[in-house]
Amino acid sequence: MPAHDVLIIGAGLAGQRAALAAADAGATVAIMSKVHPVRSHSVAAAGGINAAINVADDWRSHAYDTVKGSDFLGDQDAIEIMCSEAPKEVMHLEHIGVTFHRNETGELDLRAFGGASMKRTAYVADITGQAILHVLYEQIMKYSDRVDRYEEWFTTSLVLDDDGACVGVVARDIRTGVMETFSAKNVILASGGAGQCFKPTTNGLICTGDGIAQAYRAGAPIMDMEMIQYHPTTLVENGFLITEGARGEGAHLLNAAGERFMEKYAPNKMELASRDVVSRAEQTEINEGRGVGPNGEGIYLDITVVPKKRTLEALREIVNIGKDFAGVDITAEPIMIRPGQHYIMGGVKTDVDGQVPGVPGLYAAGEVACVSVHGGNRLGANSLLDTLIFGRRSGEHAAARAAGLPMPAASEAQMRDDAAEIASIIARPREGRRISEIKDELGTTMNDNVAVFRDEAKLQHAHEVVRRLKEEAKTAYIDDRGTVFNQDVLGAIELGYMLDCSEATVVAAIERKESRGAQFRTDYPERNDDEWLKHIDISRNGDDTPHISYSEVTFTQWQPEERKY
Amino acid sequence: MAEFTLRLRRYDPESGAAPYWDEHTIDLEPHRSVLEGILQAKARFDGSIGIRCSCKAAICGSCGVRINGQPGLACHTHLDHALRGARDGVIEVEPMGNMPVIKDLIVDMDAVHWKKIHRVTPWLINKEPIPEREYVVPRESMVDITQSMACIQCGACVSDCLSMEVDPLFVGPAASAKAYRFVGDPRDAQQFERLQDLAEDPHGIYDCTHCFKCIDACPKGVAPMSQIMRLRRRAGNDHHIKDRNNGERHESAFVTLIKDYGLLHEAELLPRSYGGDSWFGKFHPKAGAELLDSLPAITKAVMRRKVSIKGALLGHKIPKADLNAVQRIYKKIEGRDERLELNLYITGYDEDVDGAETPPATAATGAGQPGAEPGQPGQTPEGSPSR
């Protein structure tokens, strides 16, 4: 049985950073991912990474912007750690080879981003996530004698010992169908978000909430799950992301009357207000009949105001996306966008070292986790930072913790259960619904009812649908009977993960009877600090229903105030 | 909505049966991608169709396939476009070439692509001392290597590499582009060693035959062949690496022959490739051996009238005015203070060329992408300096 001090599930930015940090700290490390590491969804992060590296900047300013962006739901101790450690982390990335754009004097160039009080976003054109991910993978290749890689291995369960500590995982080699139990002194979940619960989404097909559901099923609390970020600029056509970097470079948002309507909603920051604010503004314009396009369901993003040469150099990817996926030359004409599901602020509850309360040996970092640094709304270019800072801290902490522990031997009972479950899915008779139909209905329901504007009736409807789909999923059938690259059976398992995540999201959204950050309840349109300045934690009851509890928000320097941009 | 028929190359390694074709008719708007078509077939008809995919937006690099024989990303090819390239009204999708197939459209990239990436020591070897803050480097250098950094490791270039078909050991286009990402990086301490390694390796940078296939194949404009040419220029011109394989001399023989004669002088090419431009070079023993070795190929070329004996031996005559024109080009290029390197991110465009309808001429060094659409960055037209 393979055994490691630190086993990391997921090989995006958080996972790879954790692996390198744990290896540097002397631990034996393995990194496991259901896709090849460079396919991880971190690759799609476009705009950049925030850090107060300008000499005129201060990390406290970055931290305050983040607290305000979170609508005061973010935990300030964690935010302070993230922002104060950011400059060093960005320099580290630079040293290992990330090709950050430079200014005319050869130092790191910075661009403007939403919700930030000054330019503090370091970037590589608009492929920042790709550049960092590929450079981290260069380092993982360099560390090949110190970091074992299980690429294209699908984790099915966490393994707990009798005391409830996490001592390993069960996984399936996608290429061969072989199931194996892995022992580990510590497991770090870094398996990303759950955007596929929504349709459309900017997220890749692999973002199915695996880690969130695995931790939830193992008894870990998940937090802030109602906070779903709708990105202000996704293509009307198909939901693809247009980077916030476009607005950072100066692009305008226009309604059908050709007005820069952000004047009404955020007169100071205009297009560069927080994402929740901009998305709500757009949705309001659309709902009130000032949208553009044949059905009035879009908003114009006008990038032609950015000098063409700059667009071609710094926003090249969206020039291609406009051309290839919408048939629009963004350097010559505006492009139609609207708010679209992009990120989940919530996830597996952790402390500032990535440790999951109540499950010793289990860590989480990146989008799968909720530290919570993003609270009710994440600032653009803070997600890459979150993955790297808390990925590294988890890796370091897990390595240190491993040093004092004997290697556990994970029981193989879980593997037998998971193998039997997979066999039973494969053997299901061809009656009931197809997995793809259920997934489709889930995504559409979530997007129609748990989006920018919510109310009790919509949320209750979504809840009923999710409960029904959970039942239907139990008998849904698949076609592939094979063992080699049986993506069909993995899709059935992923659907289960998505349903768990969706249920938690809906339940939390029903529970929070106020409007804060990304959660806007038309039936409770005000922020209510007296009753709701707290996190909603969800854990799993024995009978597979979500159990709600609350936890305090941590304050250090900044008291809640009215939030205006 | 429109109907499209997809003909997918299927292979089930567990069945013991040979690969076969499988057709599905799907229903999508014509500008949707071939990947979406395959996903619809998978969702509606047969969940066992194997294809790697995730982002659907040409960033993750998972869905490299061949569509109607052309390599590319399934998510980056529109159905209507694919239909225009179809032979019989059916869009054919096959796994990529030059790599073993695992199942259906899924190939073993570790066995070929990633092995070659590993071959080029794919990590930064830092210049010492490492500064406390960032390395201060020229702005252009980072923009320059961003073109290599834009590679998403999809394998489309590897799929179609003709040199790799003949020599499976060839380091190949993707790994070469990766190598340039370090050779062009001013923070790297071992540029000479990297270049020497790739020049001396008989399967290294001089193994490329300039067929442009990888430039055509690349969905991200990385233009791997151009990166190989840059590696050669850096090796030969900047570091004066005269490799054992005579790659550098062979290339410079082409350059000087065209300069002297305006056209290739075949009989001179071989001796100069070994002996350089000196007259005595003709008697380089290796040149004789190579000549003997090449006789069958030469005979074949003569028989097929690709070359005439007279033309090959005496050189081709072109009008004096044309020769002068060729030599003027040399003079202009060689007269520049700094070598003009073409780049995806640094473009010759600015506000003043807004609305230009004609694509810039594909430049001679070959960084241009044939078939590029008007207004697409990616080429620096000769004569409009980028910096």
Side-chain angles (χ1 to χ4, degrees):
Chain A
M1 179 187 302
H4 301 87
D5 289 343
V6 181
L7 174 60
I8 296 147
I9 312 300
L13 291 187
Q16 292 195 35
R17 188 68 187 90
L20 295 169
D24 279 339
T28 61
V29 182
I31 188 163
M32 176 182 287
S33 170
K34 65 179 179 178
V35 292
H36 187 281
V38 304
R39 317 295 175 212
S40 306
H41 196 65
S42 304
V43 78
I49 177 167
N50 288 335
I53 50 180
N54 185 327
V55 285
D57 202 354
D58 186 309
W59 69 262
R60 288 168 202 86
S61 164
H62 180 189
Y64 170 73
D65 290 342
T66 303
V67 168
K68 182 179 171 188
S70 80
D71 217 349
F72 298 90
L73 189 65
D75 287 319
Q76 296 181 7
D77 56 339
I79 291 172
E80 288 188 358
I81 286 172
M82 179 175 82
C83 297
S84 62
E85 293 182 2
K88 198 170 158 231
E89 187 64 30
V90 170
M91 292 309 163
H92 172 72
L93 294 174
E94 200 281 324
H95 294 158
I96 61 173
V98 176
T99 55
F100 285 117
H101 262 52
R102 300 307 213 263
N103 60 23
E104 294 302 335
T105 52
E107 291 145 341
L108 295 189
D109 194 29
L110 299 168
R111 66 161 45 130
F113 241 67
S117 44
M118 70 184 296
K119 286 187 181 183
R120 66 165 69 95
T121 305
Y123 64 98
V124 182
D126 55 350
I127 56 166
T128 314
Q130 181 189 329
I132 299 175
L133 183 72
H134 284 233
V135 167
L136 286 185
Y137 192 65
E138 290 170 6
Q139 296 294 307
I140 293 282
M141 289 190 276
K142 181 180 173 184
Y143 279 49
S144 58
D145 56 340
R146 289 195 275 167
V147 176
D148 290 335
R149 306 200 295 267
Y150 298 95
E151 294 168 355
E152 303 195 311
W153 280 73
F154 185 97
T155 311
T156 52
S157 292
L158 302 176
V159 178
L160 305 188
D161 67 8
D162 294 339
D163 303 325
C166 185
V167 291
V169 305
V170 176
R172 176 182 168 98
D173 182 354
I174 298 174
R175 288 191 190 196
T176 62
V178 167
M179 304 281 293
E180 192 146 19
T181 303
F182 291 74
S183 290
K185 294 181 187 172
N186 299 287
V187 172
I188 301 177
L189 289 170
S191 45
Q196 283 291 317
C197 298
F198 291 75
K199 185 185 175 181
T201 172
T202 61
N203 287 195
L205 294 163
I206 56 174
C207 304
T208 49
D210 305 12
I212 297 172
Q214 285 157 3
Y216 176 64
R217 291 173 187 184
I222 54 181
M223 185 166 91
D224 294 349
M225 286 298 287
E226 70 278 24
M227 297 302 180
I228 301 291
Q229 180 163 81
Y230 271 66
H231 193 288
T233 55
T234 69
L235 276 191
V236 168
E237 197 76 39
N238 50 20
F240 286 177
L241 177 68
I242 302 291
T243 175
E244 185 164 311
R247 282 171 289 138
E249 298 289 339
H252 296 166
L253 292 169
L254 305 173
N255 63 15
E259 298 161 341
R260 276 181 81 185
F261 56 86
M262 285 310 298
E263 278 170 3
K264 282 184 284 183
Y265 304 92
N268 299 319
K269 297 298 289 183
M270 299 291 286
E271 283 84 357
L272 288 177
S274 272
R275 288 178 174 175
D276 58 330
V277 173
V278 181
S279 283
R280 264 196 302 280
E282 290 177 3
Q283 197 61 49
T284 305
E285 293 296 304
I286 292 168
N287 291 353
E288 292 178 358
R290 292 185 295 277
V292 301
N295 304 318
E297 57 184 12
I299 291 290
Y300 277 137
L301 175 68
D302 184 6
I303 305 169
T304 63
V305 294
V306 180
K308 183 166 178 172
K309 188 172 179 174
R310 178 65 183 163
T311 303
L312 294 176
E313 176 183 299
L315 299 170
R316 201 192 138 67
E317 196 56 41
I318 60 168
V319 171
N320 290 340
I321 285 185
K323 176 165 67 72
D324 296 339
F325 296 103
V328 170
D329 175 5
I330 61 161
T331 65
E333 54 185 320
I335 188 163
M336 246 174 37
I337 53 84
R338 68 177 168 198
Q341 198 283 339
H342 180 59
Y343 185 86
I344 60 167
M345 271 67 78
V348 182
K349 185 185 178 93
T350 72
D351 67 12
V352 294
D353 293 311
Q355 296 192 95
V356 177
V359 189
L362 183 63
Y363 292 74
E367 195 173 347
V368 68
C370 181
V371 187
S372 132
V373 284
H374 308 305
N377 170 70
R378 174 174 71 76
L379 292 189
N382 263 358
S383 63
L384 294 186
L385 187 59
D386 170 21
T387 61
L388 294 161
I389 297 287
F390 294 103
R392 173 176 57 73
R393 291 178 66 92
S394 298
E396 285 168 353
H397 198 277
R401 182 177 180 273
L405 287 176
M407 185 63 73
S411 151
E412 304 229 320
Q414 185 67 47
M415 183 184 83
R416 286 190 289 274
D417 289 354
D418 288 2
E421 168 72 10
I422 286 175
S424 82
I425 294 171
I426 291 175
R428 279 178 196 163
R430 286 169 176 264
E431 47 201 46
R433 302 183 79 187
R434 294 181 71 84
I435 297 287
S436 53
E437 288 169 21
I438 297 177
K439 185 184 170 196
D440 212 60
E441 187 179 349
L442 173 68
T444 312
T445 303
M446 292 296 284
N447 196 49
D448 289 347
N449 298 287
V450 198
V452 175
F453 291 112
R454 306 167 173 181
D455 63 40
E456 185 76 18
K458 281 181 172 180
L459 293 171
Q460 291 294 354
H461 170 69
H463 194 199
E464 280 163 31
V465 173
V466 172
R467 296 294 306 174
R468 170 170 54 78
L469 294 178
K470 271 193 140 177
E471 283 307 306
E472 291 176 356
K474 289 177 183 162
T475 56
Y477 72 89
I478 63 169
D479 302 312
D480 199 335
R481 303 276 192 254
T483 51
V484 176
F485 257 95
N486 188 333
Q487 298 172 313
D488 224 6
V489 77
L490 303 183
I493 298 170
E494 288 171 340
L495 178 66
Y497 295 151
M498 285 188 273
L499 286 163
D500 279 357
C501 294
S502 301
E503 186 176 32
T505 293
V506 173
V507 165
I510 292 171
E511 179 69 10
R512 183 175 287 282
K513 292 179 175 50
E514 65 153 354
S515 293
R516 178 186 303 275
Q519 154 112 336
F520 194 96
R521 293 275 304 248
T522 53
D523 43 356
Y524 300 95
E526 300 299 323
R527 193 174 88 188
N528 180 350
D529 287 343
D530 292 340
E531 288 179 70
W532 289 106
L533 188 51
K534 57 189 176 189
H535 298 291
I536 297 175
D537 297 358
I538 294 186
S539 49
R540 192 188 196 214
N541 274 344
D543 60 347
D544 188 24
T545 53
H547 171 78
I548 293 172
S549 60
Y550 306 104
S551 56
E552 294 299 314
V553 176
T554 307
F555 289 89
T556 56
Q557 323 189 16
W558 300 283
Q559 289 309 304
E561 57 191 45
E562 197 190 352
R563 184 161 166 257
K564 275 191 168 167
Y565 285 99
Chain B
M1 290 289 181
E3 285 199 342
F4 295 90
T5 305
L6 304 175
R7 186 184 294 135
L8 309 176
R9 190 69 167 163
R10 304 289 305 270
Y11 169 62
D12 176 3
E14 296 167 89
S15 70
Y20 61 100
W21 293 105
D22 180 23
E23 286 194 13
H24 293 286
T25 299
I26 52 99
D27 189 26
L28 276 171
E29 287 140 355
H31 62 275
R32 295 282 172 179
S33 70
V34 171
L35 177 64
E36 284 176 284
I38 295 171
L39 290 175
Q40 191 182 92
K42 206 169 146 93
R44 283 190 190 167
F45 312 119
D46 185 356
S48 75
I49 298 167
I51 182 168
R52 289 192 186 102
C53 55
S54 177
C55 76
K56 300 196 277 186
I59 293 170
C60 78
S62 301
C63 66
V65 289
R66 280 187 297 187
I67 299 168
N68 303 318
Q70 297 296 315
L73 297 173
C75 72
H76 194 247
T77 310
H78 296 269
L79 285 162
D80 53 356
H81 181 83
L83 186 64
R84 285 200 292 276
R87 268 170 301 183
D88 55 354
V90 176
I91 298 166
E92 243 172 47
V93 188
E94 297 167 88
M96 289 192 288
N98 281 337
M99 287 175 273
V101 177
I102 296 177
K103 175 190 175 181
D104 296 344
L105 302 171
I106 298 167
V107 298
D108 188 351
M109 291 195 64
D110 290 347
V112 181
H113 174 81
W114 286 107
K115 211 162 149 186
K116 291 179 186 299
I117 296 286
H118 271 268
R119 157 73 185 81
V120 300
T121 318
W123 51 81
L124 190 72
I125 299 166
N126 288 82
K127 252 187 200 155
E128 302 283 351
I130 296 175
E132 199 173 313
R133 281 179 65 98
E134 70 269 39
Y135 285 91
V136 175
V137 295
R139 182 180 181 284
E140 291 77 10
S141 64
M142 285 295 125
V143 180
D144 177 32
I145 52 174
T146 298
Q147 180 167 13
S148 294
M149 210 65 236
C151 169
I152 55 174
Q153 313 291 348
C154 69
C157 59
V158 172
S159 166
D160 239 26
C161 176
L162 290 181
S163 290
M164 207 181 281
E165 229 170 82
V166 177
D167 173 17
L169 294 175
F170 174 40
V171 63
S176 301
K178 189 71 167 174
Y180 183 76
R181 170 249 175 292
F182 301 104
V183 168
D185 192 327
R187 299 169 296 179
D188 195 90
Q190 297 200 357
Q191 292 166 350
F192 174 80
E193 290 82 353
R194 289 176 187 277
L195 286 165
Q196 190 171 40
D197 173 36
L198 287 169
E200 293 288 355
D201 186 340
H203 314 287
I205 47 178
Y206 290 109
D207 209 10
C208 165
T209 60
H210 317 185
C211 73
F212 283 81
K213 284 265 187 186
C214 59
I215 293 182
D216 273 349
C218 179
K220 304 304 286 186
V222 174
M225 192 191 96
S226 300
Q227 312 307 329
I228 297 175
M229 296 307 128
R230 286 178 177 185
L231 290 169
R232 290 185 184 179
R233 284 193 289 275
R234 295 227 177 198
N237 297 355
D238 301 353
H239 291 277
H240 311 289
I241 297 168
K242 308 262 185 258
D243 58 292
R244 247 183 315 226
N245 315 306
N246 291 304
E248 192 272 335
R249 270 177 292 254
H250 185 56
E251 188 161 285
S252 76
F254 271 92
V255 174
T256 48
L257 283 170
I258 301 287
K259 188 179 179 182
D260 292 349
Y261 297 94
L263 281 173
L264 194 60
H265 189 175
E266 288 89 342
E268 286 278 316
L269 181 64
L270 201 142
R272 287 197 194 202
S273 296
Y274 288 94
D277 288 327
S278 92
W279 188 84
F280 291 105
K282 290 187 180 50
F283 304 105
H284 196 286
K286 268 188 159 179
E290 180 77 31
L291 180 66
L292 275 180
D293 209 38
S294 305
L295 270 178
I298 295 170
T299 314
K300 215 184 256 181
V302 171
M303 303 273 285
R304 292 185 181 166
R305 297 192 188 177
K306 285 202 145 195
V307 60
S308 72
I309 295 175
K310 190 179 159 214
L313 289 177
L314 300 179
H316 309 275
K317 285 269 177 286
I318 64 169
K320 184 78 181 151
D322 291 352
L323 182 58
N324 287 341
V326 169
Q327 287 173 347
R328 271 200 302 279
I329 295 174
Y330 273 80
K331 211 170 159 190
K332 183 169 178 186
I333 292 172
E334 288 171 349
R336 286 196 178 119
D337 297 340
E338 150 179 41
R339 194 166 60 221
L340 181 69
E341 296 280 2
L342 307 175
N343 185 286
L344 184 67
Y345 283 84
I346 303 171
T347 72
Y349 294 138
D350 215 326
E351 273 61 40
D352 55 349
V353 293
D354 261 0
E357 284 301 314
T358 46
T362 301
T365 34
Q369 292 163 270
E373 290 171 38
Q376 181 185 358
Q379 304 91 10
T380 303
E382 287 288 348
S384 66
S386 57
R387 287 165 241 169

